[in-house]
Amino acid sequence: MTKIQMTVDGATVSDDVEPRMLLVHYLREKVGKTGTVIGCDTSNCGACTVHLDGRSVKSCNVLAVQADGHEVTTVEGLAKDGELHPMQAAFHECHALQCGFCTPGMIMQSIDLLNDNPKPSEDEIRLGLEGNLCRCTGYHNIVRAVQTASGQEVGS
Amino acid sequence: MTVTEQPAAEIGKDRRRKEDQRLITGRTRWTDNLTLPGMLHMSMVRSPFAHARITSIDTTEAKAAPNVVAVITGKDIAEEQGSLPNAWPITPDQVTPAHPPVAIDRATFAGEIVAVVVARSAAAARDAAELVDVDYEELPAALDLKESAEDTVLAHPDLGTNKSALWVFDSADAGTGGNVEEAIAKARQDGIVIEREYRQQRLIPAFMEPRSVVVDPTGEQITMWSATQVPHILRFLLAAVLGVSESKVRVIAPDVGGGFGGKLQTTPEEFIAMVMARRLGKPVKFTETRSESMMAAHHGRDQWQRLTLSAEKDGTVTGFKVDLLADLGSHVALIGGGVPVLGAFMYNAIYKFPSYRFQVQTVLTNKAWTDAYRGAGRPEATFAIERMMTELAVELGVDPLEIREKNWIKHEEFPFTSVAGLEYDSGNYEAATALAKEHFGYDELRAEQARRREAKDPVQLGIGVSTFTEMCGLAPSRVLGSLDYGAGGWEHASVRMLPTGKVEVLTGASAHGQGHETAFSQIVADRLGVPFEDVEVLHGDTQVTPKGLDTYGSRSLVVGGEALVRAADKVVEKAKPIAAHLLEASADDLDFAGGRFTVRGTDQGMGIGEIALATFAAHNLPDGVEPSLDSDATFDPVNFNYPHGTHLCAVEIDTETGAVKMRKYTCVDDIGNVINPLIVAGQVHGGLVQGIAQALWEEAVYDESGTLVSASFVDYLVPTAADTISFDVDHTTTPATTNTLGTKGVGEAGTIASTPAVVNAVVDAIRHFGINDIQMPCTPERVWRAIHDSGGGGGEPTTEAAAPHFDPASGNQGTADRTDGADS
């Protein structure tokens, strides 16, 4: 067991964990952040995407011990004082989710995408979300949500 | 039935979804989020062989591993586990192998459960599962569908055959049309006969949330949380198979992360969790990994279609003969055998065929079992006829839309009884097609295609057409009974006016991402004249919503929605005499609108919420009136539901690499009146991508030993945002006449229509190389090989006309090469 400490959605947490424990399991099972979910075992689906020191990572690709001393933000830490993050609001406004299982990861990735490129083209959005799978929306409305959150005009 | 003609305030409005708040903030209730005190975890030991005798299982080491509570084999629970149900035997003599959730002495596909480990943590269970030592004697496996149909290798040697059932529909026998053999014979003399063989590759539903189940046996009742589409059916089957009282079983489907038919199975894992929880007296959880899901949740499609279409020289179709082989996998799944039968009624699609014959042979193999996947039978049917109609147009040298128009049912001919015996209530194929052509810029794209061909452009343009209808809203119970389907087609709803004036709505149509809470709120808000925000929709818990038949086959709105309308209308009816009493007026003098009863000719009135409060207080009610304001309705539809539409697709093919790129996709669907256009468009977008994915990317591939090699998202190509494009979606409105709302199902429409549209486009782009088929999925390699073998490509296409070629022995047509997995 290894002792770790990190900030998750603004709160400090510390635990003894097995060195093999993945960050996603740590967040879900130890910290109770079940908003972050597991969709695959090959790092392809992106449902577990969180921010590590402000950059998106697939939390199934990071060991909990690697996050020791770092800052983690999950989808549960986005809304501040009851106000949705603009990306959350855009997903709602554009109907960019159906079953919602990929949504936390998709939102976290989309925020990071705009951090790098505040006014992405449609192609840039599509490429930027390539690591996150959605089975319900056909991506059409997800692309519109990212355009909306970036303050760009969107089509129907 | 009266169709509401004037859309009321809420219906037709782009309401943002009520469901979204919890989903976008991570407060969702997925089954795998659940942790109960003392909860144990299961891990499955699965067969690595497609077919093997289990000679021994040594569980000693696993049992001794840390934190392990139990390790069991099929033999250990042989008496408790029963046999998984088959609810749709399609013929009385169907061969249906017994289906124990844990294999007892023989594993029948790679991925089948042979032992189960229960431990105090999921990690401990997984670790110990590695220690279970199973000895297998590998047996020959039935893998190739065509060979299996010949009983070359037996999937179940004790049964003596792989043939499960032969189901036939003939229009001459049914009295719905003429004799197809005569039509074909005549066409061979003085008409046109098109013969083709198409493969519907095996697909994996690939819902994003892996299946998960938690069973809590403590207390008076057994409670199961499951990521299922069918909590009500599951409760019934669990109780029946395990021999416990239905009232002692509660099934909760909390938030469910997609299904697409893939979560309508009653799974071995659910039954095993139930058995183990009861045995151990503790809550038990199982959550599958993605590769387990890929290997052992049910698959879809997997058919060979042998097709013969006959027509007169002017293009008037005279007959269609369909001969299918359908791969069931190792067992007959819940409704797996019935999927092709559902499709049987749709091969004539929107056309006035005078004769039709359909035959399906269902076949057992040593692969994962197949069952419903988005569209269930209807995508396969639509693909077949839309490819064939396109080939007929090519044969005649006319535009593919022209041949469709020549044969389709005209708007003024509805209602129309199809050659398959269905009564189509309404449709307007002319309007949808005209609008789609306009949106798409059909003529301009055809002109560009001609220019590129002329210029021998290395990037060629292809245009694909698909017109479709489907039977959805499953469906009249009597009709399902005549097909030997094991359940009815009704749906249940309750509408309860609470004393606060808020409305609680219960529906048996359990959602898994479709937005029922929003759309159903809109319907009830309009019927009762209350604010949208005041309606709360409850679903997915058999304790809260005890009656229902769940969600599949695009039935929620057209069957469940109609039940809601009826329950809400009964509430108004019930409120009326109370309002009359309280207003001291005659009920005959009352009008109800906007949530208020008013006395005609006066300004006196009373809101329905006030009446709800009055019934709660019950101080002043008319004699004989129950002190409550709620009602139930169970609706059994009088007919299926027939949405339709026209889809147009343009693809660009790089003839040097075989890469297919989506250029434009236009669809105009007609689902009658629309409750929430935003939700409808979302359903269409998602459906389109699933259908396009069958055409271009997805395929479950088994290798020669029967191992699923596409058992992860690395190998099974669910499209990404970068693979797809934004769609051009519109609709026409031809109300259904068979429900009050005038609406039709939409969940499967996009998937059903898009696959043939895309393959028609792919073939259209390279037909001038002499190619008339590319097998799905149309991967770059397949497309490149077809072009390469034709001698075209690289900017030097040949100009030879496509020569239809049919070789039933190999299934090959044209020059398309087949480089797929071992089972093709």
Side-chain angles (χ1 to χ4, degrees):
Chain A
M1 297 294 246
T2 307
K3 185 145 186 86
I4 58 169
Q5 180 172 312
M6 68 184 84
T7 309
V8 180
D9 296 336
T12 304
V13 294
S14 64
D15 279 286
D16 287 321
V17 299
E18 278 192 75
R20 68 171 176 170
M21 185 176 235
L22 298 172
L23 179 59
V24 66
H25 289 126
Y26 179 68
L27 292 172
R28 286 178 57 78
E29 293 162 23
K30 295 277 189 180
V31 193
K33 296 285 182 183
T34 51
T36 301
V37 294
I38 303 167
C40 72
D41 26 58
T42 47
S43 309
N44 287 84
C45 81
C48 66
T49 305
V50 299
H51 291 175
L52 186 63
D53 296 333
R55 298 310 309 260
S56 67
V57 295
K58 291 180 176 176
S59 60
C60 72
N61 244 356
V62 178
L63 294 165
V65 292
Q66 289 177 292
D68 183 29
H70 294 271
E71 191 179 333
V72 175
T73 307
T74 78
V75 71
E76 293 169 64
L78 290 181
K80 300 279 185 234
D81 305 322
E83 282 284 306
L84 292 176
H85 185 284
M87 191 62 76
Q88 290 173 309
F91 267 63
H92 175 57
E93 183 59 29
C94 297
H95 185 37
L97 61 149
Q98 286 176 33
C99 84
F101 194 78
C102 74
T103 306
M106 203 61 90
I107 287 174
M108 299 311 282
Q109 180 61 23
S110 298
I111 291 170
D112 197 37
L113 170 64
L114 293 194
N115 284 342
D116 274 346
N117 183 357
K119 299 281 177 212
S121 66
E122 178 176 339
D123 282 350
E124 286 169 338
I125 294 169
R126 289 181 176 279
L127 279 172
L129 297 179
E130 204 179 18
N132 291 65
L133 295 177
C134 170
R135 193 60 158 169
C136 297
T137 64
Y139 303 105
H140 182 108
N141 284 343
I142 293 176
V143 172
R144 290 176 61 237
V146 178
Q147 288 169 328
T148 299
S150 68
Q152 301 184 79
E153 292 276 316
V154 296
S156 61
Chain B
M1 195 173 296
T2 314
V3 175
T4 306
E5 283 176 2
Q6 290 300 318
E10 279 296 336
I11 288 177
K13 205 186 236 184
D14 271 340
R15 275 286 186 189
R16 268 59 186 166
R17 296 197 321 169
K18 291 183 169 185
E19 292 86 342
D20 288 356
Q21 288 306 314
R22 63 179 187 271
L23 297 166
I24 58 179
T25 55
R27 291 182 294 109
T28 320
R29 305 154 303 172
W30 309 115
T31 300
D32 189 47
N33 291 357
L34 196 65
T35 300
L36 298 173
M39 189 170 81
L40 302 171
H41 299 259
M42 294 199 302
S43 184
M44 305 300 176
V45 180
R46 295 178 185 273
S47 167
F49 298 109
H51 195 192
R53 188 167 293 115
I54 301 163
T55 51
S56 73
I57 304 182
D58 184 352
T59 59
T60 322
E61 216 183 323
K63 277 178 176 156
N67 291 312
V68 169
V69 175
V71 183
I72 56 102
T73 66
K75 278 194 178 113
D76 295 335
I77 59 164
E79 282 175 18
E80 293 158 76
Q81 66 174 339
S83 180
L84 290 169
N86 165 238
W88 195 349
I90 58 173
T91 60
D93 60 351
Q94 173 177 289
V95 172
T96 310
H99 194 179
V102 185
I104 293 174
D105 49 19
R106 202 164 47 88
T108 60
F109 73 98
E112 186 163 23
I113 299 164
V114 298
V116 181
V117 175
V118 187
R120 290 193 183 84
S121 76
R126 273 197 296 274
D127 287 347
E130 299 282 317
L131 304 173
V132 175
D133 190 8
V134 187
D135 281 335
Y136 297 96
E137 178 195 335
E138 201 175 348
L139 299 170
L143 296 171
D144 180 89
L145 173 53
K146 285 183 180 177
E147 286 176 12
S148 298
E150 301 299 320
D151 290 336
T152 313
V153 177
L154 294 178
H156 297 272
D158 51 315
L159 297 177
T161 181
N162 294 324
K163 295 186 183 76
S164 179
L166 180 70
W167 192 92
V168 181
F169 176 90
D170 193 313
S171 64
D173 299 339
T176 55
N179 184 301
V180 79
E181 297 296 353
E182 286 170 14
I184 292 167
K186 185 168 184 304
R188 287 197 199 281
Q189 298 298 319
D190 57 4
I192 300 157
V193 177
I194 308 277
E195 292 173 280
R196 290 288 188 277
E197 189 165 333
Y198 295 130
R199 170 95 171 139
Q200 292 287 324
Q201 80 270 33
R202 184 175 270 252
L203 297 179
I204 299 177
F207 33 76
M208 290 313 300
E209 179 207 19
R211 295 172 309 161
S212 181
V213 57
V214 175
V215 178
D216 182 4
T218 60
E220 295 304 308
Q221 201 179 31
I222 297 170
T223 303
M224 173 184 285
W225 289 261
S226 181
T228 180
Q229 286 176 235
V230 290
H232 296 92
I233 292 172
L234 181 57
R235 179 179 71 153
F236 162 63
L237 292 174
L238 280 172
V241 172
L242 298 171
V244 297
S245 159
E246 211 172 335
S247 64
K248 294 284 186 200
V249 182
R250 175 184 185 181
V251 177
I252 302 171
D255 287 309
V256 177
F260 317 112
K263 285 178 179 165
L264 64 67
Q265 205 59 234
T266 47
T267 69
E269 291 85 355
E270 286 161 336
F271 281 81
I272 297 165
M274 188 86 167
V275 168
M276 295 314 293
R278 286 167 84 200
R279 265 199 174 198
L280 299 167
K282 294 249 186 204
V284 167
K285 181 198 262 190
F286 173 76
T287 300
E288 70 186 359
T289 64
R290 177 57 56 181
S291 33
E292 283 183 295
S293 186
M294 295 285 204
M295 275 191 299
H298 80 241
H299 295 170
R301 316 280 193 263
D302 208 347
Q303 300 177 355
W304 272 111
Q305 305 171 317
R306 186 171 295 184
L307 311 163
T308 312
L309 185 80
S310 61
E312 291 172 15
K313 278 182 177 151
D314 69 353
T316 306
V317 174
T318 57
F320 193 29
K321 191 169 81 161
V322 177
D323 185 358
L324 297 190
L325 288 179
D327 192 336
L328 297 177
S330 72
H331 289 87
V332 194
L334 188 66
I335 59 169
V339 168
V341 173
L342 207 53
F345 297 95
M346 279 285 110
Y347 277 83
N348 59 286
I350 64 170
Y351 307 112
K352 293 183 283 189
F353 290 178
S355 69
Y356 170 60
R357 186 176 196 281
F358 171 95
Q359 164 177 312
V360 60
Q361 174 69 60
T362 59
V363 180
L364 295 159
T365 61
N366 294 115
K367 288 180 274 186
W369 52 91
T370 56
D371 204 312
Y373 169 54
R374 205 166 188 171
R378 294 151 288 162
E380 298 93 315
T382 305
F383 180 87
I385 188 56
E386 289 306 295
R387 286 286 294 117
M388 293 295 276
M389 292 302 275
T390 300
E391 295 301 308
L392 176 62
V394 170
E395 185 79 11
L396 288 164
V398 301
D399 186 277
L401 280 169
E402 190 184 322
I403 204 76
R404 285 165 171 79
E405 187 170 358
K406 187 171 190 66
N407 285 286
W408 72 36
I409 304 154
K410 306 286 181 290
H411 181 48
E412 63 273 14
E413 292 174 295
F414 288 91
F416 183 89
T417 303
S418 80
V419 74
L422 299 175
E423 188 177 303
Y424 295 175
D425 63 327
S426 70
N428 187 343
Y429 310 139
E430 297 90 326
T433 304
L435 187 58
K437 270 185 84 169
E438 187 191 319
H439 271 281
F440 189 67
Y442 190 79
D443 297 334
E444 293 84 338
L445 281 164
R446 282 280 180 216
E448 181 186 332
Q449 178 183 42
R451 282 198 303 276
R452 288 194 186 215
R453 272 192 195 169
E454 179 65 25
K456 297 183 177 177
D457 190 329
V459 178
Q460 289 290 316
L461 186 71
I463 296 167
V465 172
S466 166
T467 48
F468 84 104
T469 185
E470 58 159 319
M471 55 186 284
C472 68
L474 306 178
S477 296
R478 199 182 304 163
V479 175
L480 295 176
S482 72
L483 295 171
D484 299 311
Y485 180 70
W490 50 266
E491 194 47 82
H492 177 261
S494 297
V495 173
R496 300 172 180 164
M497 288 291 309
L498 304 177
T500 54
K502 308 282 184 194
V503 186
E504 194 170 66
V505 171
L506 277 52
T507 173
S510 179
H512 45 284
Q514 297 91 339
H516 291 182
E517 291 164 40
T518 306
F520 288 0
S521 290
Q522 289 177 273
I523 293 170
V524 172
D526 268 358
R527 297 312 280 197
L528 296 181
V530 299
F532 167 77
E533 294 77 13
D534 285 357
V535 184
E536 174 147 25
V537 177
L538 306 177
H539 59 89
D541 179 344
T542 61
Q543 186 109 313
V544 178
T545 61
K547 289 194 232 170
L549 284 173
D550 309 314
T551 289
Y552 50 88
S554 296
R555 67 190 300 278
S556 295
L557 187 63
V558 294
V559 187
E562 180 68 19
L564 271 182
V565 166
R566 290 171 178 225
D569 289 356
K570 280 189 197 174
V571 165
V572 175
E573 233 170 85
K574 206 168 168 182
K576 198 171 191 180
I578 304 169
H581 176 78
L582 294 172
L583 290 165
E584 297 178 345
S586 160
D588 294 340
D589 291 338
L590 293 187
D591 291 324
F592 181 72
R596 279 183 76 75
F597 288 96
T598 48
V599 183
R600 210 167 297 136
T602 76
D603 57 359
Q604 275 194 304
M606 184 173 257
I608 193 161
E610 292 173 83
I611 298 163
L613 182 60
T615 63
F616 174 72
H619 299 165
N620 180 18
L621 296 177
D623 290 342
V625 163
E626 281 179 23
S628 68
L629 192 52
D630 51 26
S631 198
D632 286 45
T634 304
F635 172 65
D636 198 337
V638 295
N639 194 353
F640 292 96
N641 197 265
Y642 301 97
H644 67 83
T646 297
H647 289 218
L648 298 171
C649 169
V651 299
E652 288 177 356
I653 291 187
D654 183 334
T655 57
E656 291 170 352
T657 64
V660 180
K661 193 174 153 207
M662 299 294 297
R663 161 81 175 271
K664 186 168 175 111
Y665 198 104
T666 296
C667 72
V668 173
D669 287 322
D670 194 323
I671 59 158
N673 292 331
V674 171
I675 307 301
N676 184 324
L678 191 75
I679 290 179
V680 162
Q683 290 275 309
V684 171
H685 299 150
L688 289 179
V689 169
Q690 270 176 288
I692 294 167
Q694 173 171 11
L696 297 182
W697 302 296
E698 293 184 21
E699 181 174 27
V701 179
Y702 285 88
D703 70 10
E704 284 172 9
S705 70
T707 301
L708 183 70
V709 292
S710 55
S712 76
F713 284 139
V714 180
D715 308 293
Y716 188 81
L717 301 181
V718 170
T720 71
D723 298 317
T724 55
I725 57 169
S726 290
F727 303 109
D728 174 25
V729 172
D730 203 350
H731 64 267
T732 52
T733 305
T734 312
T737 64
T738 51
N739 65 67
T740 312
L741 297 165
T743 191
K744 308 181 184 186
V746 70
E748 295 153 299
T751 307
I752 289 170
S754 61
T755 311
V758 175
V759 176
N760 278 333
V762 169
V763 175
D764 186 58
I766 52 177
R767 191 182 288 280
H768 57 294
F769 296 127
I771 296 161
N772 67 12
D773 185 30
I774 299 284
Q775 186 183 303
M776 294 188 290
C778 303
T779 58
E781 186 187 348
R782 283 187 186 144
V783 174
W784 182 85
R785 280 187 189 282
I787 297 169
H788 180 78
D789 293 353
S790 75
E796 296 295 330
T798 66
T799 50
E800 274 174 46
H805 169 70
F806 181 62
D807 176 6
S810 69
N812 282 345
Q813 309 100 43
T815 50
D817 189 29
R818 276 150 178 75
T819 53
D820 33 290
D823 67 333
S824 303

